Amino acid sequence: EVQLVESGGDLVQPGGSLRLSCAASGFTLSRHWMHWVRQDPGKGLVWVSHINFDGSTTRYADSVQGRFTISRDNAENTLFLEMNRLRVEDTGVYYCARVRYGGYDFDYWGQGTLVTVSS
Amino acid sequence: DIQLTQSPSFLSASVGDRVTITCRASQGISSSLAWYQQKPGKAPQVLIYAASILQSGVPSRFTGSGSGTEFTLTIYSLQPEDFATYYCQQLNSYPRTFGQGTRLDIK
């Protein structure tokens, strides 16, 4: 069974840092592109970042470029999101999501981890 | 960036109704569109990908159509478990944008 389990969400002050993890099981992580998606409280979905199979290519939303870093450890079946210089507007539930072969959609999502940026 | 606009944003319907949600892209995206369903407190789940392919295990009352800039998700004969929020997403280019969502409530 494919599972994605996020962790690392917390309450942090503006300007602080967090590292989110996404533990993958039930499939071979190295065979899939992966993404992070944020959901603002009570609002819609916002794409955050993407990483290719081996981490050689990454993409970011303009709002997080230069502050967030996506990475992966395929040997440990884990995806990461390093979040620095956090802002109040980064608050939300962060989901990791797997890309289906062929890139058609995000076919599996984790349950999400809550990041709250507040003083 | 490609903008996706869903209409309507809110929809009230009854069990057994047929409903249609539209997703319009600000530029052509071929068939690179997916539809997701999200229930409160849960992660989104894919319903349709590549504009019209039904995800395995999703009931056949869900259908997707369209290409280019206009897409639709139709739910035939609404069931109680279908009341949720629906999102479209384009996978043609980065950033991988989502529509703002359509909340489907019971009338």
Side-chain angles (χ1 to χ4, degrees):
Chain A
E1 179 192 5
V2 171
Q3 279 199 316
L4 296 167
V5 179
E6 300 94 337
S7 60
D10 204 348
L11 170 63
V12 62
Q13 291 190 339
S17 299
L18 276 179
R19 190 191 201 200
L20 306 185
S21 299
C22 169
S25 61
F27 69 102
T28 303
L29 184 64
S30 62
R31 295 181 181 175
H32 290 267
W33 289 8
M34 298 292 294
H35 291 254
W36 287 97
V37 176
R38 183 182 79 242
Q39 185 157 36
D40 300 344
K43 296 189 177 180
L45 302 168
V46 178
W47 175 79
V48 173
S49 183
H50 152 260
I51 190 167
N52 72 338
F53 304 108
D54 61 2
S56 59
T57 299
T58 58
R59 302 260 193 169
Y60 299 93
D62 288 346
S63 61
V64 308
Q65 180 78 49
R67 300 187 299 120
F68 290 12
T69 302
I70 189 172
S71 62
R72 62 195 298 160
D73 184 338
N74 288 335
E76 294 295 325
N77 291 313
T78 306
L79 175 72
F80 302 101
L81 186 68
E82 188 79 35
M83 310 165 72
N84 297 314
R85 289 182 279 141
L86 281 160
R87 304 170 180 169
V88 171
E89 56 265 34
D90 296 322
T91 294
V93 174
Y94 283 75
Y95 296 100
C96 61
R98 188 185 87 163
V99 179
R100 184 190 305 269
Y101 289 133
Y104 299 109
D105 65 308
F106 296 179
D107 63 348
Y108 283 93
W109 298 60
Q111 85 290 348
T113 187
L114 177 62
V115 172
T116 303
V117 185
S118 174
S119 54
Chain B
D1 296 1
I2 295 174
Q3 312 300 321
L4 296 180
T5 304
Q6 289 182 231
S7 59
S9 294
F10 300 94
L11 185 54
S12 184
S14 301
V15 172
D17 284 353
R18 181 183 73 185
V19 298
T20 297
I21 300 168
T22 298
C23 178
R24 288 187 174 87
S26 59
Q27 57 187 273
I29 59 171
S30 186
S31 296
S32 301
L33 189 102
W35 289 97
Y36 301 89
Q37 178 193 68
Q38 187 179 33
K39 296 182 178 180
K42 300 293 187 181
Q45 292 187 302
V46 63
L47 300 171
I48 302 284
Y49 61 96
S52 62
I53 299 176
L54 189 67
Q55 166 72 351
S56 176
V58 173
S60 59
R61 63 180 179 271
F62 291 90
T63 63
S65 64
S67 68
T69 61
E70 185 150 338
F71 302 85
T72 59
L73 172 69
T74 300
I75 312 172
Y76 294 89
S77 188
L78 274 171
Q79 298 301 301
E81 59 269 27
D82 299 337
F83 293 94
T85 300
Y86 294 84
Y87 296 93
C88 58
Q89 181 200 23
Q90 65 82 19
L91 296 104
N92 183 75
S93 64
Y94 286 93
R96 297 286 202 243
T97 43
F98 293 88
Q100 82 278 12
T102 295
R103 178 174 165 176
L104 176 56
D105 285 346
I106 300 175
K107 185 183 288 183

